Amino acid sequence: MMQTVTGEILPNPLPPVPIELELHIFDKLRAVKAFVFDVDGVFTNNEILVSEAGELLRIMNVRDGQAVKWAIRAGYPVGIITGGRSEGAKKRFTDLGVEEYYSGIHEKWEAFQSFLKRTNTLVSEVCYMGDDLPDLPVLRKVGLSCCPADAVPDVTDICDFVSAIPGGRGCVREIIEKVMKLQDKWPEY
């Protein structure tokens, strides 16, 4: 109800505005205690080079890998959940220090729950970056959902943070750096 200048009471023409207690993006960045990433389309540009021998080759950004190393050194658990089964990708992440590597995964939520249990981490404390439909079940539930600039629209529509950088070009480094700088854990040289 609203009152006019003459004192007449009229019904309020606008519905009440709901008050939502959503966390601000900076609060979500501060709450991160672990990172989980998809591989193809996140660490890679979503392309696969097929050799004459039938090998499937991917290119990964070195700066993304360096950021993963720094995150692990700073104490963040880092996990990889991928639908692929690349031995080369597995070796790359093992060499970076990633201990939680789940490959050949089609239902990512189940692997994600295993990551949470093995690292003693809460779902609200995880930053997850994915780029395609199989990532949605995890992206919808984590504390900080992220994707590369070139993720599919269904993913960009629900993410807390959409990088300006496409997959395979440094989007992983970008989100790790933002989190670690905000938490005063980014290395200084």
Side-chain angles (χ1 to χ4, degrees):
M1 302 297 238
M2 59 186 243
Q3 193 169 6
T4 66
V5 176
T6 61
E8 184 182 2
I9 297 178
L10 301 172
N12 190 346
L14 301 174
V17 177
I19 298 173
E20 295 181 18
L21 298 175
E22 277 195 38
L23 290 176
H24 190 274
I25 187 70
F26 292 113
D27 296 322
K28 291 182 177 200
L29 290 164
R30 278 188 204 95
V32 170
K33 293 185 180 174
F35 296 95
V36 179
F37 301 96
D38 179 23
V39 175
D40 293 320
V42 174
F43 278 95
T44 74
N45 67 357
N46 228 358
E47 295 177 3
I48 297 174
L49 180 65
V50 181
S51 75
E52 286 299 318
E55 294 175 295
L56 306 179
L57 306 172
R58 294 162 174 83
I59 296 174
M60 295 189 189
N61 187 291
V62 172
R63 290 187 186 130
D64 284 344
Q66 183 62 61
V68 167
K69 278 188 195 179
W70 285 333
I72 292 168
R73 283 188 201 145
Y76 296 91
V78 175
I80 300 295
I81 303 176
T82 178
R85 294 181 184 273
S86 167
E87 286 302 313
K90 182 177 182 178
K91 180 175 178 4
R92 169 73 173 143
F93 291 112
T94 301
D95 289 350
L96 293 175
V98 174
E99 294 178 1
E100 297 297 319
Y101 185 85
Y102 305 85
S103 64
I105 305 298
H106 299 290
E107 301 296 329
K108 293 190 176 187
W109 178 247
E110 290 176 24
F112 182 75
Q113 288 176 307
S114 178
F115 171 85
L116 294 175
K117 188 173 183 177
R118 290 176 47 85
T119 60
N120 197 28
T121 308
L122 301 174
V123 68
S124 61
E125 299 171 330
V126 177
C127 169
Y128 183 93
M129 183 175 269
D131 73 306
D132 208 344
L133 301 180
D135 300 302
L136 287 172
V138 180
L139 287 167
R140 287 185 181 117
K141 296 175 183 165
V142 293
L144 179 63
S145 57
C146 306
C147 67
D150 57 346
V152 299
D154 287 345
V155 169
T156 60
D157 288 349
I158 64 142
C159 281
D160 299 312
F161 176 79
V162 178
S163 175
I165 303 169
R169 301 286 185 249
C171 60
V172 171
R173 163 77 174 248
E174 180 186 32
I175 193 60
I176 291 174
E177 185 172 343
K178 285 184 182 307
V179 168
M180 291 179 68
K181 280 186 172 179
L182 194 61
Q183 296 181 9
D184 293 321
K185 295 182 178 181
W186 189 247
E188 292 185 19
Y189 287 91

